């Protein structure tokens, strides 16, 4: 049950996140759909490639594609007054997508009996891969590579799930809420990872 919930939540959140970036960059309707779809499914596609699954598994997600298209369409049609604070919406949906897909990716790796290192990598790639592709297509520095704390939360989710200390849907939902809250706190409180510059001013 949790697997389906996280798949749906992550797909909707990242589809909207991609649509927001596309609208911010003033892409046309086709561009909005492309960036939304790429953001929603890019992380899973990258994960599947690295853990040895065929890319064709992506095309078996008809329902998820329909959900993503519906979410993008509805968001595109929202009255402007509801999306005028697009930056806040974008950060919030991105946090939800990161958390949901990090957990989903980790669960996927555990299901395949992969080592904990692979579980963590699967969590990070699934949680942030779509955002990386989105940012590159939008000609932005990928969020996961900035000093802002982002991919670390996905790695923590992967580590916790990979250790298999706790299990059950309730635990996964609590972990989802915690990772989402931590990501939101990290950008509202401006938490940063250490940064070292080579060029000294």
């Amino acid at each position: 049950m949790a697997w389906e919930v996280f798949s749906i939540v992550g797909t909707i959140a990242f589809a909207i996140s991609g649509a927001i970036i596309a609208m911010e960059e003033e892409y046309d309707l086709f561009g909005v759909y492309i960036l939304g779809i790429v953001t929603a499914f890019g992380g899973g596609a990258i994960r599947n490639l690295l853990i040895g699954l065929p890319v064709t598994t992506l095309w078996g997600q008809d329902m998820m594609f329909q959900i993503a298209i519906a979410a993008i369409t509805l968001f595109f049609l929202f009255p402007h007054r509801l999306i005028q604070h697009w930056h806040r919406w974008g950060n919030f949906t991105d946090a939800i997508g990161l958390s949901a897909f990090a957990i989903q990716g980790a669960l996927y790796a555990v299901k395949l009996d992969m080592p904990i290192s692979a579980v963590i990598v699967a969590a990070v790639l699934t949680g942030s891969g779509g955002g990386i592709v989105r940012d590159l297509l939008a000609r932005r520095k990928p969020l996961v590579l900035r000093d802002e704390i982002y991919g670390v939360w996905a790695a923590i989710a992967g580590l916790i799930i990979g250790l298999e200390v706790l299990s059950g849907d309730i635990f996964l939902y609590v972990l989802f809420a915690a990772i989402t809250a931590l990501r939101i706190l990290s950008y509202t409180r401006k938490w940063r990872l250490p940064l070292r510059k080579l060029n000294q001013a």
Side-chain angles (χ1 to χ4, degrees), residues 23-179:
M23 291 166 69
E24 181 190 351
E25 296 293 331
E26 299 182 0
Y27 288 9
D28 62 14
L29 180 59
F30 184 72
V32 171
Y33 278 111
I34 291 297
L35 210 58
I37 292 294
V38 164
T39 308
F41 297 97
I46 295 172
R47 175 203 64 208
N48 288 354
L49 280 172
L50 289 183
I51 64 178
L53 292 176
V55 181
T56 51
T57 56
L58 180 66
W59 310 120
Q61 305 181 61
D62 288 346
M63 187 182 77
M64 291 302 165
F65 274 102
Q66 293 170 14
I67 289 172
I69 290 172
I72 295 167
T73 303
L74 288 174
F75 188 80
F76 188 84
L77 296 175
F78 270 10
H80 186 268
R81 68 179 184 277
L82 296 180
I83 59 173
Q84 58 183 333
H85 302 295
W86 52 265
H87 191 67
R88 188 182 306 166
W89 273 88
N91 282 328
F92 183 65
T93 56
D94 195 77
I96 292 174
L98 172 73
S99 180
F101 273 162
I103 293 172
Q104 188 230 43
L107 291 173
Y108 202 59
V110 168
K111 185 179 178 181
L112 295 175
D113 293 322
M114 305 198 80
I116 190 168
S117 57
V119 174
I120 294 172
V121 170
V124 173
L125 290 178
T126 313
S128 60
I132 291 174
V133 178
R134 173 200 66 204
D135 292 340
L136 290 175
L137 289 177
R139 296 182 179 179
R140 298 183 172 194
K141 183 178 180 180
L143 192 59
V144 70
L145 301 180
R146 300 177 191 170
D147 57 334
E148 184 176 321
I149 301 178
Y150 186 82
V152 172
W153 302 128
I156 289 173
L159 176 63
I160 292 172
I161 291 173
L163 290 174
E164 298 186 78
V165 177
L166 297 172
S167 60
D169 288 358
I170 298 298
F171 158 69
L172 292 174
Y173 293 138
V174 171
L175 180 62
F176 166 72
I179 296 297

Side-chain angles (χ1 to χ4, degrees), residues 180-195:
T180 302
L182 287 168
R183 170 57 193 146
I184 291 172
L185 283 172
S186 68
Y187 70 73
T188 56
R189 301 291 180 86
K190 301 186 184 304
W191 294 346
R192 295 287 187 268
L193 291 173
L195 174 65

